């Protein structure tokens, strides 16, 4: 890689011509398959016909919505100070947040376990052209990030790290790749809550019978 910050651990790197093999255990393969299927069902048709003009308008609309909701992507992220900052997003999904940060001048590295989501993020960087100079997406395991120590000014992850089998290891990786004095912006789901036990377990799981549909019923009930 041109700037030397990426380690040769297992990953697939898009946008540079560099490709590494990626081995995963069965649990992570299940996670990968779940999110790949969700992406295909929600975003594939939209991304297939996406143009630069529609993308930039969509990013303006996304930022407006985030500001209206006082969301962490604008509340906790210093958008006005991102120019030239190295930012890692773990789990970019379809790439909207990463593209928004790139628009504000961040040099993004966007790592997702699912290849289709890494491709979608890279496609948005490509459409942005010079606005996303130096930004690249890759398929990678959050528990084994392919970056050198002390690489990023900011590590951002929105509703992702609790999905990996070893969340503690993923958090340790966040702090390993973060520069001293850097910033983390991380949101995790609160499972042990009134909303979870009443609305999801009782109403959806018991009353609607979803908990008898298979091991991953919570994911299907909340994400689809």
């Amino acid at each position: 890689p041109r700037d030397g910050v990426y380690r040769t651990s297992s990953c697939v790197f898009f946008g540079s011509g560099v490709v590494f093999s990626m081995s995963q255990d069965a649990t992570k393969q299940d996670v990968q398959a779940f999110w790949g299927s969700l992406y295909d069902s929600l975003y594939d048709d939209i991304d297939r016909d996406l143009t630069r003009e529609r993308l930039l308008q969509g990013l303006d609309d996304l930022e407006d919505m985030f500001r209206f909701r006082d969301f962490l992507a604008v509340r906790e992220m210093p958008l006005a100070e991102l120019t030239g900052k190295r930012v890692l997003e773990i789990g970019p999904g379809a790439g909207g947040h990463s593209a928004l940060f790139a628009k504000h001048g961040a040099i993004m590295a966007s790592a997702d376990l699912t290849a289709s989501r890494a491709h979608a993020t890279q496609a948005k960087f490509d459409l942005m052209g010079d606005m996303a100079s130096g930004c690249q997406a890759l398929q990678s395991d959050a528990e084994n990030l392919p970056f050198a120590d002390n690489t990023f000014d900011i590590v951002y992850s929105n509703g992702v790290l609790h999905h990996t089998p070893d969340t503690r290891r993923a958090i340790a990786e966040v702090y390993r790749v973060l520069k001293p004095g850097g910033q983390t912006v991380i949101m995790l789901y609160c499972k042990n809550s009134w909303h979870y036990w009443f609305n999801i377990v009782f109403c959806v799981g018991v009353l609607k019978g979803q908990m008898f549909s298979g091991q991953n019923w919570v994911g299907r009930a909340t994400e689809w």
Side-chain angles (χ1 to χ4, degrees), residues 164-183:
T164 196
D166 191 343
T167 298
R168 289 183 181 274
R169 180 169 175 175
I171 295 293
E173 281 288 272
V174 167
Y175 284 99
R176 181 184 66 77
V177 303
L178 189 67
K179 292 179 181 179
Q183 179 182 1

Side-chain angles (χ1 to χ4, degrees), residues 1 57 77 83 91 102 120 130 141 160 182 187 197:
Q57 182 59 57
M77 284 294 283
T83 300
D130 290 343
D141 182 348
V160 171
M187 187 275 280
W197 290 110

Side-chain angles (χ1 to χ4, degrees), residues 60-78:
D60 287 342
D61 294 342
L62 183 66
E63 183 173 349
D64 288 344
M65 181 186 71
F66 285 164
R67 292 191 183 283
F68 177 76
R69 295 183 176 181
D70 201 22
F71 189 61
L72 86 163
V74 296
R75 180 180 177 86
E76 305 296 337
M77 284 294 283

